[in-house]
Every structure is written in structure tokens, then in C-alpha cells.
Amino acid sequence: MRNVLKAVCISCGAAYEAGEHTYTCQHCGGVLEILYDYDYIKSVFTKETLADRDFTMWRYRELLPIEEGSELTPLRIGGSPLYRAERLGKILGLKKLYIKDDGLNPTSSLKDRASAIAVVRAKQAGMDTVACSSTGNAASSLAGNAAAMGLRSFIFVPERAPAGKLVQLLMFGANLVSVKGNYEDAFRLSAQAIEKWGWYNRNAAVNPYLSEGKKTVSLEIAEQLGAALSGSRLASGKPGPGFGKPEFRVPDYVAVSVGDGCTIAGLWKGFKDLYAIGFTNKLPRLISVQAAGCCPVNRAIKSGKPLEPMEENTIADSIAVGTPRNGEKAIRAIRESEGITVNVSDQEILASMRLLGSSGIFGEPAGATGLAGLRKAAEGGLIPEDALAVSVVTGNGLKDVAGAQKAAAELGQPISIPADMELLVEEFGRRNIRP
Ligand SMILES: *Cc1c(COP(=O)(O)O)cnc(C)c1O
């Protein structure tokens, strides 16, 4: 990989050659970070390069840790829409609010961006089996991407994983292991199995290449904001070449939900990459949103103390991570960005799902958590009303129908009657519904 310089341990600084097959630091067990040769990238990747590329994550391949000419996944990953959300903005008290709906990826979550890197790298390395543990979305995403590439997958999930995610796994033909225990237990068993059988490891917190895939969400946000502010059709995420020379624009704030911490760390890396290659001249402030019942990353930042495990007590299963595997990277990213931490209750998460729903966007609980935090930050006066703010919806509502039913309970029961016009008129009257 000409574009990658090396991998460096974020704890002890040990450096590894780009091609070396290592996941975590061999000296201290710390998490690695991929460093790029930005001078080389600048020589082969310009805004003109982008002009006639499809709007998928591979649009930015010079910024990704894959060999030139690698076989890419055939699924359309990335290129999700960025919506200007005027009505929601009014409710939140934000004049320039945008929603990036990443629930519209092939397996319906942002995790596809990481899984795509995993399967491309696994295939390139000549491996035929990939594996991970996950609260659900990384799992279904890896299974789908593996299926698309003709790879086998072994997936470990905690037994509480929602049915929508499990059925995806089965449909994609994964070997599914439901572990009696929590996410931590599933993670531990998967690590032992991966070690024993030598599968490709898609545990994002361990494999430093994966959050590099997640960073493409920031690259898209900046390019789509640039397009939106100049009136181009790229803003709505319509795929296809012919956008002309793109402009990039960095938001003031980006709000996203945090579990293991790979997503927010990847998000930050994307904005830093754009800055490093001279496409942009500023960086956003991150808003790290966690559930009040499971907020170890935000708690560590607030208290200035090391990360301590917490119970996993929230409806937002995708971010119910009591022992964040990439907490250090996340904390560093939030601090570097002079970010804000916000904890939200399950009630606030459910309200945020209804709010998104009222604009035609369906997010799973963790998918709507970012917006819940942004709302709280705006209402608490932590961010100014004229800030350019983006909230990332990280997963689709159909992933977790039981969660969505809890959010919908407050919206009332459907009318249930025989096919009789008189009864319909009567029922409308009783419920004060204007036909
Ligand atoms: C995984 C996930 C997150 C959080 O990402 P981390 O890397 O674990 O912090 C948020 N929302 C959804 C829907 C997810 O699947």
C-alpha cells in the first residue's frame, strides 16, 4: 500500500510496517492507528479525481488502507443521503441542521463501511473465512459483505441481540453463535476462536483498518455539505458520475452515538484526513452521545479518570458497551476536537426516534441517539442556534422492531374495524381525526 506509511500503537508508540499482519500492539496490547503518506496521496488524489466517480465509499479509495487494484465489494456501500432538516431544526432550535442517514446502507447500518474494508483485506490476503463478535450490526454487516464476496463468516453475538439483526445473519448464511452472556463474553469467546482457527478478525476495536472505513462517512458529509451549500444534486446522495469538481465544507458540530468508540474515532480521522490533504481548512467539534445507563467513555472524559467498565443498561443495544474496546481512541478524538459529551435517557432516545420518524427517517434506538444528544446540547445552550450541525443516523429502525414499538407506543393504537364506512366515520369522530 503506497498510501500507508505504518501502523503506530496509540499507547506506547511502537511502529509496525504497513504490510505486517498484526492487529494490536505486540509490546503492550494497545490499539494501533494507521498513518498515511499524505504527500503521496496528494500527488494521486485531487478534487478532479473525484469528478466522475460513483458516489460510494470507494470514491475515496486513495485514503483507504487497501491495495491498489484490490477486488472491491460489489454492494453499494456509503453514498447515503445527507438531508437538510429544516422542520426538525426548528424543533431543536438549530437553523442549519443536517441528517446523514447511514441506515440506508446495504445491511442497514454504518457498520457496512468497516465490514467492506474487512472483506476486501481478507480477500486480498487470500483468506476464506472472516469472524467477529458484535451487539448485532457489525455481525449482520460482516455476514452480508462476506456473502457478497464469497467468503465464509463466523459470528458471535450476545443472547440479547434483537431478532431483526439475527435473522439478517441467517439470511446471509453466517455460522451464528449466540453466547449466553453479555457483549464482553461474546467478544472473549470470538477472540479465542479467531486465535485457534486463524480466521480474519473483524473486531473493529482490535483491527485498526476498520475504523478507516468508517471515516468515509465524514468524507461524504464534507463533500455533501459543500454540494448542498452550492446547490449540487450530490447533496441528496444520488449516485452516478458527473458531479463536476466537488467542494468540501466542514460542519461546526457532528453528533454521533458512541459504543465501542470506533465510529466516533473514525469520524474524526476522516475530517483530519481532509484537512491533511488540503481539501478543507477547519475541523468540527464532535458531540459524543451515550446512553445514561451505559456511558463509560463520556464518564471518563467528564471525570478525567481512566475508563472504568459500566453496566449495559439501555434500550439502545448497539451502544450498550460496558467495556469499550476502542475507548482510548474515542476519548482522544473527542478531546482533540474540543468535543462535547452528552448522556441521554432511554426516554430521550425514544422521543428522538419519534422525531426522526416525523420527518420520514426511521432510526433504531442507537441510530437516533446522536440526534437526542444534539437536541439536548442545543436546548442546554451548549451550541449556538446558527451552528452548522450534522447528526448521523447510524442504523435503521427495522433492525430492532421491538425497540421501535416502544417508541411508537406513545403515538396511539391503530384503528381496528371491519370494512364498514359508517364505523370508519364514527371512529374518526371519536378520535378527533380530520379526514
Ligand atoms: C456500532 C454502532 C454504533 C456505535 O459505534 P461504536 O464504534 O461501537 O462506537 C452506533 N450506532 C449503531 C447503530 C451501531 O451499530
Side-chain angles (χ1 to χ4, degrees):
M1 291 181 288
R2 281 261 356 237
N3 58 343
V4 174
L5 283 177
K6 55 189 171 182
V8 173
C9 173
I10 69 162
S11 302
C12 76
Y16 299 88
E17 290 297 314
E20 254 178 271
H21 186 69
T22 184
Y23 293 121
T24 48
C25 180
Q26 286 158 12
H27 300 289
C28 75
V31 177
L32 301 185
E33 165 151 57
I34 309 300
L35 300 189
Y36 291 86
D37 182 345
Y38 291 116
D39 286 332
Y40 170 72
I41 292 172
K42 278 201 267 191
S43 73
V44 293
F45 184 63
T46 62
K47 290 180 185 171
E48 284 79 6
T49 323
L50 287 168
D52 53 18
R53 285 190 180 172
D54 281 353
F55 194 48
T56 74
M57 68 180 272
W58 306 120
R59 182 172 177 76
Y60 313 103
R61 52 186 173 265
E62 285 85 353
L63 283 167
L64 294 172
I66 54 172
E67 297 287 353
E68 259 171 61
S70 292
E71 180 187 341
L72 302 177
T73 133
L75 299 176
R76 193 230 60 186
I77 295 167
S80 64
L82 180 79
Y83 299 118
R84 174 87 202 257
E86 270 177 72
R87 238 170 329 111
L88 286 190
K90 281 214 179 86
I91 295 170
L92 268 62
L94 290 172
K95 289 190 181 145
K96 291 177 270 180
L97 172 64
Y98 287 81
I99 308 278
K100 175 78 168 161
D101 189 2
D102 237 44
L104 296 183
N105 273 301
T107 78
S108 307
S109 84
L110 185 148
K111 295 285 194 295
D112 280 344
R113 297 178 187 270
S115 294
I117 298 282
V119 296
V120 166
R121 287 187 60 90
K123 190 100 185 207
Q124 175 78 30
M127 301 175 87
D128 65 0
T129 307
V130 294
C132 76
S133 68
S134 159
T135 57
N137 284 337
S140 50
S141 162
L142 182 64
N145 279 277
M149 286 290 263
L151 300 168
R152 298 194 313 151
S153 62
F154 284 85
I155 311 286
F156 297 77
V157 297
E159 56 185 344
R160 69 171 150 76
K165 300 178 184 181
L166 294 181
V167 77
Q168 273 188 303
L169 285 170
L170 296 171
M171 290 307 297
F172 295 142
N175 296 290
L176 176 58
V177 183
S178 173
V179 179
K180 294 193 194 318
N182 60 15
Y183 172 53
E184 177 65 14
D185 298 316
F187 184 91
R188 206 157 13 94
L189 184 61
S190 78
Q192 288 164 5
I194 287 166
E195 168 88 34
K196 182 169 172 64
W197 287 297
W199 303 322
Y200 187 85
N201 189 341
R202 186 250 178 262
N203 282 325
V206 171
N207 184 330
Y209 297 103
L210 302 183
S211 58
E212 297 299 313
K214 291 186 173 184
K215 79 186 176 188
T216 55
V217 74
S218 316
L219 309 180
E220 289 176 13
I221 287 171
E223 191 175 358
Q224 286 173 301
L225 268 184
L229 299 168
S230 66
S232 148
R233 71 193 168 95
L234 181 93
S236 58
K238 294 197 185 77
F243 299 122
K245 183 179 160 187
E247 287 309 322
F248 286 74
R249 175 81 183 262
V250 176
D252 299 318
Y253 294 89
V254 185
V256 72
S257 55
V258 175
D260 259 324
C262 313
T263 303
I264 197 163
L267 208 82
W268 181 236
K269 183 76 171 282
F271 287 112
K272 288 212 305 189
D273 277 359
L274 287 175
Y275 187 87
I277 60 171
F279 277 27
T280 57
N281 55 14
K282 68 169 253 182
L283 293 164
R285 294 179 70 182
L286 301 176
I287 303 181
S288 162
V289 191
Q290 294 207 285
C294 187
C295 55
V297 168
N298 284 356
R299 192 174 65 173
I301 290 181
K302 276 237 167 80
S303 68
K305 292 195 188 127
L307 265 173
E308 296 251 355
M310 259 185 106
E311 285 195 20
E312 300 176 349
N313 197 357
T314 171
I315 184 179
D317 74 288
S318 298
I319 52 166
V321 183
T323 311
R325 293 285 164 180
N326 229 331
E328 291 308 329
K329 250 191 197 177
I331 289 171
R332 209 179 46 162
I334 298 159
R335 285 207 177 115
E336 258 180 44
S337 83
E338 296 173 31
I340 298 173
T341 59
V342 185
N343 297 333
V344 292
S345 68
D346 280 359
Q347 287 314 315
E348 288 167 325
I349 291 171
L350 295 174
S352 180
M353 289 172 72
R354 290 190 290 271
L355 203 57
L356 279 173
S358 73
S359 273
I361 298 170
F362 194 13
E364 66 165 270
T369 299
L371 188 71
L374 187 60
R375 180 181 199 174
K376 208 163 175 176
E379 288 174 356
L382 293 177
I383 61 179
E385 64 168 5
D386 61 351
L388 185 53
V390 177
S391 177
V392 184
V393 174
T394 47
N396 189 279
L398 286 174
K399 289 269 192 176
D400 180 2
V401 170
Q405 279 167 333
K406 286 192 188 122
E410 217 171 272
L411 300 174
Q413 295 301 312
I415 294 169
S416 173
I417 50 166
D420 181 326
M421 200 54 200
E422 260 174 49
L423 287 177
L424 185 63
V425 171
E426 209 174 280
E427 194 57 35
F428 276 1
R430 188 133 44 101
R431 294 183 183 222
N432 264 329
I433 293 173
R434 179 170 52 87

